[in-house]
Amino acid sequence: MPGIRHARDGRKAGGLSLQAGSGRLMRLPLGYVIRRLVYLLGVVWFAASLNFVLPRLAARDPVLEHLTKLEASVGSRRAERIGEAIDRYKAWAGLNQPLWQQYVTYPRNMARLDFGYSFSRYRPVWKVISYALPWTVGLLGATTLISFALGTVFGAMAAWRRSNTLLNVGLVSDGVGGYPSIYHRAGPG
């Protein structure tokens, strides 16, 4: 049965064994798996920290911008209460707390998938994401299938005909796309 198996042959159980498609067992050292998981957690923490810090480095106040737009739409007759509204919004969003407390609260909210409220869309961020996610996945799936199909066809044509023109087009497209070229060794000669 394919999947993860623990070593049972009397050797030191210091890793996991994965059964490959051919029935062979590949040995993964437990230390390697732990290092990769620690690396994964470090990358996620770094990305989340950047996502937290960068907007706060900007010299913009999203609450003030939102309320200024709102004030412009309803008129200036309520301008005297704008300060009170700013304080309410900041308290509601947790922006009146010290920065270290916001930083501690941020990953906890992300883990619960609580992304807050979108000032620009006037609804919870999760609803904005859930609306856009099917379209994003659909486009990603379609472009992946198209890329795979075109790459397979053009790769097969270049390998079958061994044409200098196809190989040169492949080299140029690889250079533009930033992918490593395998055509250097496959050229005619």
Side-chain angles (χ1 to χ4, degrees):
M1 177 175 171
I4 297 176
R5 293 185 180 185
H6 294 281
R8 295 186 188 132
D9 57 358
R11 288 183 290 164
K12 205 174 191 182
L16 299 174
S17 298
L18 296 176
Q19 185 173 0
S22 64
R24 294 188 336 233
L25 289 178
M26 295 184 331
R27 189 111 172 107
L28 287 177
L30 189 59
Y32 172 77
V33 173
I34 290 172
R35 278 193 312 273
R36 299 306 291 177
L37 287 174
V38 168
Y39 180 73
L40 170 72
L41 290 175
V43 168
V44 168
W45 169 80
F46 182 74
S49 295
L50 272 179
N51 200 28
F52 176 83
V53 169
L54 289 178
R56 284 157 179 80
L57 290 177
R60 297 171 48 183
D61 185 0
V63 174
L64 182 61
E65 286 183 14
H66 171 68
L67 290 176
T68 304
K69 288 179 190 174
L70 194 59
E71 178 191 5
S73 69
V74 297
S76 61
R77 66 181 189 276
R78 299 183 185 184
E80 66 274 356
R81 297 191 340 197
I82 193 98
E84 180 184 327
I86 289 173
D87 292 339
R88 276 193 196 166
Y89 264 117
K90 285 188 177 185
W92 175 74
L95 298 174
N96 60 348
Q97 299 173 347
L99 197 59
W100 69 268
Q101 195 171 4
Q102 291 178 37
Y103 184 70
V104 169
T105 305
Y106 179 73
R108 186 174 18 163
N109 289 344
M110 294 299 109
R112 291 187 320 206
L113 300 177
D114 178 13
F115 302 117
Y117 191 80
S118 170
F119 289 140
S120 63
R121 306 283 177 124
Y122 302 107
R123 55 186 171 167
V125 173
W126 181 247
K127 291 206 182 240
V128 176
I129 292 172
S130 65
Y131 172 76
L133 194 61
W135 294 100
T136 304
V137 170
L139 285 172
L140 177 67
T143 56
T144 301
L145 290 174
I146 290 169
S147 298
F148 177 76
L150 290 176
T152 301
V153 168
F154 287 130
M157 286 173 44
W160 181 50
R161 292 198 177 179
R162 307 283 283 185
S163 161
N164 282 335
T165 306
L166 283 175
L167 290 174
N168 289 336
V169 168
L171 286 173
V172 170
S173 67
D174 280 349
V176 171
Y179 299 109
S181 177
I182 62 167
Y183 300 112
H184 294 295
R185 293 182 298 277

